Structure formats: C-alpha cells, structure tokens
C-alpha cells in the first residue's frame, strides 16, 4: 500500500522512540505496526505533499563549527541556480568504476550561497534537464535528504552517503513560490540575470580556465580580500618537502586520520584492560563508527611566475591526471623509500612543468594572511597556457632571456626554505614513518556499529 504521493490512515499502531542517527524526518517518534494495526487508504490527502523541511543557508554558512549535522542528519535545501561548473567524469577511483560529478552554486533569498555536488544518476538528472531546457535561466533546485559539510571556508551539499531526491523546476508549490520570490527580489534590486544551468555541459580546458574565472599573478594573491576561485600560471620549481608526499585519509571523508592509543576491556573476557591502537579521523562524526583509511597523495610544491613564488598543495586527483599514478601504486613500488622518509622518483616528473592552476582563496587565507593554497584543478593545455601568458606582458623584465622572470630560482636542497614551507601548511601532513600500503581499520570502543 506504500506508494509515492498516497496517503494512508493507520489505526492502532504503537509509538516508539526514534533513535536513528540519520533521521529523514524531525519526529522524535516512529510508528510500529502490530497484529491489531489497521491500515486503509485515505482518499483525501492532508498535509504537505512532499514533507520538505528546508534549512536556511544562513544556518549552514554561519555555523561552520557546528558539525552536529555534518554527514549524519539529512537536510532539505532549496535554492536558485546562480552558477554551474563543468561536468566531470572520474575514473581514478578505488572501485575502478567511472563516476559522474556535477557541481552547481545555489543562492537563498538571504543571498547566502552554497555549493551542491551531485553524483552519477543525480548528476545525469541535472544534465537531462539542461539538454531539454537549454534557454531556461530561472532554475530552482530542491534537494531532499542531502548531506552537508563545511570545508576550507565553503559549504558543500551532496547526495553522497544518502538516498537523495532532486527536484528541478518541478511544478510544485514550494518551487513555484521560491522562484516567484527570488525573481521579484532580483527585479527590485536590479540585479543581472544569472547563468542558470547553461554551463553544465562538459567544458574543454580552454572554456574551464579562460572564461568566468578570475586570473591572478602569484604576487597579487595576498591582496585578494574575498573568498573565490582564481587561476594562476606558473612553473613547478621544487617540492616544499622532500619526504612528505602522502597522508593516510579516511575512506569516508578523505580527512586525515591519526593513530590513538586507548584502553578497552580485554577481548578474551578476563578482568582488566588492554591498550589498543585505533584510528581517529579529524572529522569527528566519522569516529562514531569504524574508521578505515587509505593512502592519498598530497604534494606541497613551490610554483613561480615572474611576480613571485607560492606554495600550493596538490592532491591525488590532479597528480593522477598528470602522471597516471596513485598513492597505492607508488607505495607498491616505493614502500621502503616511504618508510625511510624519501621521495619517489615518479613524482619528480612534476618538476619543471608549467601549468595553469585553479586555486581556492578561503576565509582562512584572508583572515590569517596565509599564503598556502590548495589546487582545485590544473591543466597543461598549450592553448590555455599561451593565452594566460599574455597577462604577464606588463611584468616582463628587460632581460627576456631569463625564463624565471629575473626572480631567484628555488634551490630544492635549501633545507631552511623547505622547513619553513612545511610549517605553513597546517597539521594535515602525515609523517611517513610506520606506514603501510594496506587499508587501516579501527573499531568502535563500544562495539562495531557499521
């Protein structure tokens, strides 16, 4: 009898306490059906058709430290599409399967914005709408039962780890009313029209790096005073560290994991306790259940253009694009080197490469004047690099023969510089010693609750 959009009358149920960690409704009670419970169809539906409970973006954006709902409780969000990003196909996953990924930016009536990343069939749902509605600019999206997290100064909402509903310009009251209110607000503020979903089709590197993204010289990065993505062009001159090139990441969220020694009752049931080494994720909600880890590449590099030098952090996805090798493959060949704190030869192929980098300017960079940035995307496309090179015409010194633009070239053997660069990267760098190329596992102290 349970069908979508049908209403039922349930008589003589029993009510129990809803102790589920992931609650799809906010009710503290759940209904149990017993032998004497009677269920009949209700021909006159009452209440909300979809049962949305929208979370205002203000709450998500302004409470970054409150992670009580992060990756745990489902939320419903509604927003106006103000920007879309290129559709991606990812094939460098552990399971060997190709995954579809699509990201859009949604805005609420309060003008707060969040990123929404959808995977696989949910991403295809957006693409299908775009193909059938190419000229539609006023697009409202609803995500029901989504998860969110706060990362590097931005809020990300995703269908990951949950069964999510996605509604795109569906003819329902909630979307119609939101669209009407948002368009009226834009009109009263004389705001320009947003791009909608017109850019969700797969873009070439030239489209991705040469349109709709701010370009910045390396020397001007510290002058940026707002959160945003920018493009920089530079040459990888050296590594900020000759030993630290990967970290042990939580399989659930990709945050760093560390070991922790705790005491627990003896496994054989005898009196007393024993010390056990477990894994602990930086993302606290992950520690509520079994934590698994897997090695991920994390390389700190010095990148130089004719205006300055900056330390960038490259993660596994971008390294795989350039070198077609992941952390597990590197450890298979270089486990002894890793245990000795030495750098694998395969990664040294990055040195000397001239690349365009898309990097995120976070609130932390702005407030702390921190000049280390994470690489979101990169490309070695010759057309992109040639076009971006034109931005440096006014900075070129008189001696055009100097490829380094007249700046001192970084010496990879300069230990003082390397140590200083590492000290500015935060505490996500995992020591190389005592590592294993296999997955790590730790279990809950009070029992396995996976």
């Amino acid at each position: 009898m349970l069908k979508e959009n049908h209403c039922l009358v349930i008589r003589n149920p029993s009510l129990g306490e809803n102790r589920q960690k992931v609650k799809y409704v906010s009710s503290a009670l759940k209904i149990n059906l017993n032998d004497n419970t009677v269920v009949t169809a209700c021909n006159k539906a009452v209440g909300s058709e979809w049962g949305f409970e929208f979370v205002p973006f203000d709450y998500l954006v302004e409470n970054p430290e409150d992670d009580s709902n992060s990756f745990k409780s489902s939320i419903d969000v509604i927003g106006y599409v103000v920007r879309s990003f290129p559709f991606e196909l990812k094939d460098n996953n552990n399971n060997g399967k190709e995954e579809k990924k699509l990201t859009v930016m949604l805005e609420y009536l309060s003008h707060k914005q969040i990123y929404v990343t959808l995977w696989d069939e949910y991403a295809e749902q957006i693409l299908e709408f775009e193909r059938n509605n190419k000229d539609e600019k006023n697009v409202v999206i609803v995500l029901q039962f989504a998860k969110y997290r706060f990362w590097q100064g931005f809020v990300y909402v995703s269908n990951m780890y949950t069964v999510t509903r996605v509604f795109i310009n569906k003819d329902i009251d909630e979307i119609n009313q939101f669209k009407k209110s948002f368009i009226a607000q834009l009109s009263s503020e004389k705001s320009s029209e947003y791009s909608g979903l017109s850019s969700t089709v797969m873009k070439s590197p030239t489209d991705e790096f040469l349109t709709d993204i701010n370009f910045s010289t390396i020397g001007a990065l510290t002058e940026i005073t707002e959160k945003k993505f920018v493009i920089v062009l530079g040459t990888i001159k050296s590594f900020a560290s000759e030993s630290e090139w990967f970290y042990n990441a939580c399989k659930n969220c990709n945050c760093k994991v560390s070991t922790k020694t705790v005491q627990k009752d003896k496994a054989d049931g005898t009196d007393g306790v024993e010390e056990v080494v477990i894994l602990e994720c930086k993302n606290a909600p992950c520690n509520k259940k079994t934590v698994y880890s897997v090695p991920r590449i994390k390389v700190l590099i010095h990148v130089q253009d004719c205006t300055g030098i900056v330390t960038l952090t490259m993660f596994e996805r971008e390294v795989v694009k350039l070198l077609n090798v992941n952390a597990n493959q590197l450890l298979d060949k270089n486990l002894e080197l890793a245990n000795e704190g030495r750098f694998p030869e395969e990664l040294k192929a990055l040195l000397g490469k001239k690349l365009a980098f898309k990097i995120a300017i976070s609130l932390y960079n702005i407030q702390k004047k921190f000049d280390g940035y994470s690489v979101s995307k990169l490309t070695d496309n010759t057309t992109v690099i040639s076009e971006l090179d034109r931005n440096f015409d006014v900075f070129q010194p008189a001696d055009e023969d100097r490829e380094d633009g007249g700046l001192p070239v970084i010496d990879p053997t300069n230990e003082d510089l390397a140590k200083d660069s590492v000290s500015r990267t935060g505490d996500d760098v995992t020591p190389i010693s005592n590592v294993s190329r296999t997955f790590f596992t730790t279990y809950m102290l009070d029992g396995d609750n996976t």
Side-chain angles (χ1 to χ4, degrees):
M1 297 181 69
L2 291 175
K3 298 180 181 179
E4 193 80 40
N5 299 325
H6 284 220
C7 191
L8 302 176
V9 176
I10 303 177
R11 294 184 174 87
N12 299 327
S14 62
L15 299 180
E17 184 180 356
N18 184 7
R19 295 187 177 184
Q20 289 181 303
K21 291 184 178 179
V22 178
K23 293 181 174 63
Y24 290 96
V25 293
S26 59
S27 174
L29 301 176
K30 62 180 181 180
I31 295 176
N32 294 318
L33 306 184
N34 308 308
D35 289 342
N36 62 339
T37 299
V38 177
V39 182
T40 57
C42 177
N43 296 324
K44 186 177 181 180
V46 294
S48 172
E49 179 179 2
W50 300 102
F52 297 131
E53 294 185 39
F54 295 122
V55 176
F57 292 3
D58 307 62
Y59 171 80
L60 301 179
V61 174
E62 296 174 3
N63 293 274
E65 303 303 325
D66 180 8
D67 63 350
S68 59
N69 291 323
S70 180
F71 287 136
K72 188 165 62 176
S73 295
S74 296
I75 62 171
D76 301 345
V77 295
I78 183 172
Y80 192 90
V81 178
V82 296
R83 188 175 180 184
S84 56
F85 298 89
F87 170 68
E88 297 180 55
L89 286 175
K90 298 183 61 180
D91 55 8
N92 57 324
N93 307 293
N94 290 328
N95 56 19
K97 297 181 180 179
E98 189 176 69
E99 294 180 335
K100 299 176 181 179
K101 177 185 176 184
L102 186 70
T103 300
V104 298
M105 179 183 285
L106 297 186
E107 185 170 309
Y108 201 64
L109 295 173
S110 60
H111 293 314
K112 300 294 184 181
Q113 296 176 339
I114 63 173
Y115 291 94
V116 171
T117 300
L118 299 174
W119 298 85
D120 295 329
E121 66 267 25
Y122 299 96
E124 181 59 38
Q125 187 176 341
I126 300 287
L127 289 172
E128 181 66 22
F129 178 88
E130 193 277 332
R131 284 192 289 264
N132 296 330
N133 302 271
K134 292 185 179 297
D135 298 325
E136 180 61 64
K137 299 295 184 182
N138 300 315
V139 180
V140 174
I141 291 180
V142 169
L143 270 76
Q144 190 176 28
F145 312 137
K147 298 290 185 72
Y148 83 98
R149 66 180 298 192
F150 192 88
W151 183 68
Q152 291 192 343
F154 300 94
V155 174
Y156 292 84
V157 175
S158 176
N159 64 286
M160 191 172 290
Y161 313 122
T162 184
V163 178
T164 305
R165 273 199 186 116
V166 178
F167 302 85
I168 314 165
N169 269 18
K170 187 176 178 66
D171 187 18
I172 57 179
D173 291 342
E174 290 85 350
I175 287 182
N176 291 335
Q177 183 58 45
F178 187 91
K179 182 188 294 186
K180 182 179 179 181
S181 299
F182 200 93
I183 293 175
Q185 184 170 288
L186 289 180
S187 177
S188 65
E189 297 173 356
K190 298 183 179 179
S191 300
S192 60
E193 188 180 54
Y194 290 113
S195 63
L197 289 171
S198 59
S199 60
T200 55
V201 295
M202 187 179 295
K203 289 185 176 181
S204 65
T206 53
D207 291 333
E208 171 74 5
F209 283 82
L210 299 178
T211 60
D212 299 328
I213 295 292
N214 294 321
F215 176 83
S216 174
T217 61
I218 289 175
L221 287 175
T222 56
E223 300 174 7
I224 297 176
T225 58
E226 60 177 327
K227 295 189 302 182
K228 62 180 178 179
F229 289 97
V230 298
I231 299 296
V232 297
L233 177 67
T235 302
I236 301 176
K237 291 296 184 179
S238 68
F239 299 112
S241 168
E242 286 293 325
S243 60
E244 293 163 332
W245 54 272
F246 81 96
Y247 71 108
N248 295 321
C250 173
K251 286 193 70 178
N252 182 50
C253 68
N254 265 343
C255 288
K256 174 193 171 185
V257 300
S258 57
T259 57
K260 179 181 179 181
T261 302
V262 298
Q263 291 185 335
K264 62 179 297 186
D265 294 336
K266 290 185 176 181
D268 58 10
T270 59
D271 293 338
V273 295
E274 60 183 350
E275 289 189 344
V276 178
V277 178
I278 66 170
L279 284 179
E280 187 174 58
C281 179
K282 245 185 108 172
N283 186 28
C286 292
N287 297 316
K288 301 297 182 180
K289 55 184 180 181
T290 304
V291 175
Y292 297 91
S293 77
V294 61
R296 299 289 190 197
I297 294 175
K298 179 180 179 180
V299 183
L300 277 71
I301 55 175
H302 290 305
V303 176
Q304 184 180 47
D305 69 7
C306 64
T307 68
I309 301 167
V310 69
T311 300
L312 301 182
T313 302
M314 290 175 58
F315 292 94
E316 180 151 313
R317 182 181 67 176
E318 303 310 320
V319 174
V320 170
K321 285 181 181 179
L322 292 175
L323 305 181
N324 197 30
V325 62
N326 60 33
N328 271 322
Q329 292 168 331
L330 288 176
L331 286 172
D332 282 337
K333 299 178 181 178
N334 303 281
L335 185 58
E336 184 176 347
L337 283 178
N339 285 325
E340 294 174 356
R342 296 166 60 191
F343 216 81
E345 288 293 326
E346 291 89 339
L347 290 181
K348 293 183 180 179
L350 294 171
L351 298 177
K353 284 186 175 293
K354 188 173 186 177
L355 305 167
F357 301 89
K358 180 180 179 181
I359 63 176
I361 309 296
S362 70
L363 193 61
Y364 186 84
N365 292 119
I366 298 169
Q367 293 180 342
K368 303 296 183 180
K369 302 298 181 182
F370 179 71
D371 59 349
Y373 307 90
S374 294
V375 176
S376 174
K377 289 185 180 180
L378 56 78
T379 184
D380 58 358
N381 181 275
T382 54
T383 301
V384 171
I385 291 175
S386 176
E387 287 295 319
L388 293 178
D389 247 334
R390 298 181 182 180
N391 291 283
F392 293 105
D393 289 344
V394 296
F395 295 101
Q396 292 294 341
D399 184 3
E400 295 289 347
D401 294 331
R402 288 287 300 275
E403 290 186 1
D404 54 26
L407 290 172
V409 178
I410 299 173
D411 180 4
T413 62
N414 188 330
E415 295 184 0
D416 291 335
L417 179 57
K419 289 179 181 179
D420 178 66
S421 298
V422 172
S423 69
R424 294 184 292 108
T425 61
D427 60 356
D428 279 347
V429 179
T430 302
I432 298 298
S433 59
N434 301 321
V435 299
S436 170
R437 56 192 172 93
T438 59
F439 289 171
F440 297 91
T441 306
T442 184
Y443 296 93
M444 295 179 61
L445 298 181
D446 296 326
D448 190 358
N449 193 34
T450 57

